[in-house]
Amino acid sequence: MHSLGPEKLLSGAWHARTTPSRRILFSRTWLEILIPAVAAGILFALGAEIMAWVVIGITTTFFGIRLIRPDWGRKMEHGIGIFAEKVAALISWILLAPFFFVGLTLAKIGQRLSHRDPLLLRQTDLPSFWLPCDSEDRRRSFVRAMFCTERNRGGGLSLASLAFFLLILLATAEVGLRIYGFGDPLLYQQDPDIGFYFRPNQDVRYPGRTIQINRYGMRSPDFPEPKPADEYRILMLGDSTLAGTRVGNHEIYSSLFEAQLNRNSTGKKFRVLNAGVNAWGPLHMLAYVQKFGSFDSDLAMILGPVQDVFRPKYGLGRLSFSPSSGPPRLALEQLLFELVWRYREATLGRPDWNYGPNTDKQTLEGTEGYVQMGKVLQQAGAEVYYEFLPGSSATLGREQDPGSQELFGRMAARLRQDGFSAYLTGPIFAQEKHKNQIYYDGSHFGRLGHRLYAEHLYRQLRERVPAVRENLKDSSP
């Protein structure tokens, strides 16, 4: 009796190679297009746009190579087979190794201690389940009917072909990531006084939006100095809610607010300067105005979430922002940088800005930062306006935010001691029908949120700041 060795179980020895018909080739081609298209559609629907573009890019590249050089296409398929086999083996080891090395070992020890022998392996005088118990012909018939999943081992794959295949994958990933917006990130400048801010003079393009930074690191166009006599200038200071890097410059609420002021102006030209930076706190804002001044502003608006008060004046050390001192040259490099930072954050934990043993100390320092900022701006001749945002559940009118209210009460009381008034935004979006479009992540505004908040600020300033109201028409906003 001849045993079935591994060499006899390869698919090539059991299934004859035949040339597929045109119908089969046509069906296969459509499936190869349909499956990636469905996968990309699902990824887009789930919000995983990066992965969706990678799928589209890889599929397009493979089809292009197969059309131009069919022999390269076969080598690429062979390379994918090797890659899939190794990945499957690795996954199998990860999933099954604990079961085999721990579970079965414990079961074996338990059987040995209990003297159980369900397979009769220790009783040599009796037939075992492990002995051959069927004829060679029957075993051959069953093997012929098996679904062969091993890759085709014919042809071989040279080192040069494998290197070319990997180069194509990397190039496709680079192109796909650049389409999504990687490779030319928004850069941040480390500063010994401020901590950090947007690197001046940037023009960064992402899909669907452009981020323009002027010579002072603001999300605003450059402006004349000194200020023209017919201009009313407003300086906004804040964090990522003001920076609004998920929308274009013309879509952030500072730009929409400026446009609405000028539409209703009696002749005065309004100019709004956006000095908002992602992850800023009050001490960053204070250092910024101490370094650059008020830019001859008539009004300074200090905006942002109440919880910003917890943030100390840190630098870029624990932030996943691209520093201007060493910007990434490749999209893959930027992606790797962000993945490393996410792993580091998951390992080390997020900075304890709004909890932990230093909360009270940070609250006091942040509140004093707001007070000192107001004094610096006031001494420079600007009127100062404070308005803080509670959590999104409160602005959407879904539920109260007692934590933000209590914290704001403490901040407002301290500001009043130096003659400053502060306001806490209420449920301003409660009547909006499309509430799910106001915030894109529960904290930062989407396009609709920026528009609605700009309208809210227009109404508030018209009501609360006489110098603004006297330069506006009587018509409603």
Side-chain angles (χ1 to χ4, degrees):
M1 183 179 293
H2 299 285
S3 61
L4 291 175
E7 69 282 353
K8 291 187 177 182
L9 296 180
L10 296 176
S11 60
W14 297 93
H15 302 284
R17 297 182 184 180
T18 59
T19 302
S21 65
R22 289 187 176 183
R23 182 178 179 182
I24 293 176
L25 288 174
F26 181 78
S27 301
R28 175 184 172 185
T29 302
W30 272 108
L31 282 175
E32 290 176 343
I33 295 175
L34 182 62
I35 292 174
V38 171
I42 293 173
L43 290 170
F44 275 121
L46 295 175
E49 297 180 0
I50 297 177
M51 292 302 300
W53 281 113
V54 169
V55 169
I56 293 172
I58 291 176
T59 304
T60 304
T61 303
F62 282 0
F63 268 97
I65 292 175
R66 285 173 58 181
L67 289 173
I68 298 172
R69 293 294 300 270
D71 55 330
W72 288 6
R74 287 191 293 272
K75 290 182 178 181
M76 289 175 63
E77 290 180 354
H78 188 56
I80 292 173
I82 295 175
F83 177 74
E85 183 183 49
K86 300 304 181 184
V87 171
L90 177 63
I91 293 174
S92 299
W93 268 98
I94 294 173
L95 296 178
L96 297 179
F99 173 74
F100 277 102
F101 289 107
V102 179
L104 291 184
T105 300
L106 293 176
K108 191 73 173 178
I109 293 173
Q111 287 184 1
R112 181 71 70 172
L113 294 176
S114 62
H115 302 289
R116 295 181 68 246
D117 187 16
L119 298 179
L120 307 178
L121 298 178
R122 293 193 293 274
Q123 300 185 34
T124 57
D125 55 334
L126 295 177
S128 169
F129 288 102
W130 297 107
L131 296 178
C133 57
D134 210 342
S135 67
E136 182 74 7
D137 291 339
R138 283 178 56 80
R139 284 193 290 160
R140 277 180 175 274
S141 66
F142 279 109
V143 170
R144 286 182 186 274
M146 290 170 59
F147 179 75
C148 300
T149 58
E150 73 274 4
R151 59 182 168 83
N152 182 9
R153 298 178 184 272
L157 186 68
S158 66
L159 184 61
S161 299
L162 182 60
F164 176 76
F165 169 70
L166 293 176
L167 182 63
I168 291 294
L169 280 180
L170 291 174
T172 304
E174 178 72 18
V175 172
L177 290 171
R178 284 189 176 275
I179 290 174
Y180 185 74
F182 282 82
D184 184 21
L186 185 62
L187 299 179
Y188 294 77
Q189 182 165 307
Q190 184 86 12
D191 186 272
D193 301 315
I194 301 171
F196 63 94
Y197 61 102
F198 292 134
R199 193 197 74 180
N201 301 315
Q202 295 188 73
D203 191 347
V204 182
R205 300 182 183 277
Y206 292 106
R209 69 189 191 277
T210 300
I211 298 176
Q212 296 169 320
I213 307 297
N214 69 13
R215 65 183 183 274
Y216 288 108
M218 299 178 182
R219 280 207 72 182
S220 299
D222 282 319
F223 49 90
E225 295 180 281
K227 181 183 66 177
D230 63 341
E231 180 178 304
Y232 187 92
R233 185 169 292 180
I234 300 173
L235 172 65
M236 288 184 168
L237 293 152
D239 70 342
S240 53
T241 55
L242 172 59
T245 52
R246 285 298 188 99
V247 299
N249 271 48
H250 66 287
E251 298 170 308
I252 49 178
Y253 69 74
S254 58
S255 298
L256 299 174
F257 176 61
E258 177 185 275
Q260 193 166 12
L261 287 170
N262 284 314
R263 282 197 305 270
N264 293 278
S265 172
T266 57
K268 202 85 164 175
K269 176 179 173 56
F270 286 93
R271 186 185 299 274
V272 178
L273 308 180
N274 182 328
V277 178
N278 296 335
W280 258 11
L283 301 181
H284 299 94
M285 303 175 208
L286 170 61
Y288 184 86
V289 297
Q290 287 175 332
K291 183 167 187 172
F292 293 114
S294 70
F295 305 99
D296 293 327
S297 297
D298 300 285
L299 174 67
M301 301 179 68
I302 299 168
L303 308 163
V306 179
Q307 286 77 13
D308 283 357
V309 71
F310 293 125
R311 293 176 175 174
K313 191 172 74 174
Y314 42 79
L316 294 175
R318 290 200 66 180
L319 296 170
S320 59
F321 298 156
S322 298
S324 59
S325 57
R329 292 158 292 183
L330 299 173
L332 288 168
E333 182 182 359
Q334 182 188 352
L335 178 63
L336 180 62
F337 175 81
E338 295 197 9
L339 291 176
V340 169
W341 271 106
R342 291 187 184 186
Y343 172 78
R344 183 181 178 185
E345 186 177 78
T347 304
L348 301 178
R350 298 176 65 87
D352 56 344
W353 292 330
N354 56 350
Y355 59 88
N358 297 321
T359 298
D360 291 338
K361 177 176 177 292
Q362 292 170 358
T363 303
L364 291 174
E365 290 180 354
T367 303
E368 288 302 315
Y370 282 127
V371 172
Q372 294 304 315
M373 193 188 330
K375 290 181 177 180
V376 171
L377 292 166
Q378 204 171 55
Q379 290 170 3
E383 185 177 356
V384 183
Y385 177 91
Y386 296 85
E387 180 163 333
F388 299 99
L389 285 163
S392 58
S393 60
T395 58
L396 294 171
R398 291 172 177 166
E399 60 183 8
Q400 296 293 321
D401 186 358
S404 293
Q405 291 175 346
E406 189 272 335
L407 183 59
F408 170 76
R410 292 161 58 186
M411 295 164 55
R414 175 64 187 90
L415 288 165
R416 279 195 299 271
Q417 293 178 8
D418 283 84
F420 297 111
S421 297
Y423 304 93
L424 181 67
T425 307
I428 57 175
F429 306 132
Q431 304 303 317
E432 176 59 37
K433 295 180 180 179
H434 305 287
K435 288 186 172 66
N436 60 329
Q437 298 179 20
I438 295 175
Y439 293 90
Y440 73 82
D441 63 355
S443 301
H444 301 89
F445 295 133
R447 288 179 171 84
L448 177 60
H450 278 279
R451 179 172 64 80
L452 295 176
Y453 193 57
E455 294 172 357
H456 162 76
L457 290 178
Y458 177 86
R459 293 190 296 268
Q460 296 302 101
L461 260 65
R462 180 171 180 155
E463 175 185 343
R464 294 169 175 168
V465 182
V468 172
R469 184 170 58 249
E470 67 187 19
N471 288 296
L472 295 176
K473 301 173 184 176
D474 293 333
S475 59
S476 61

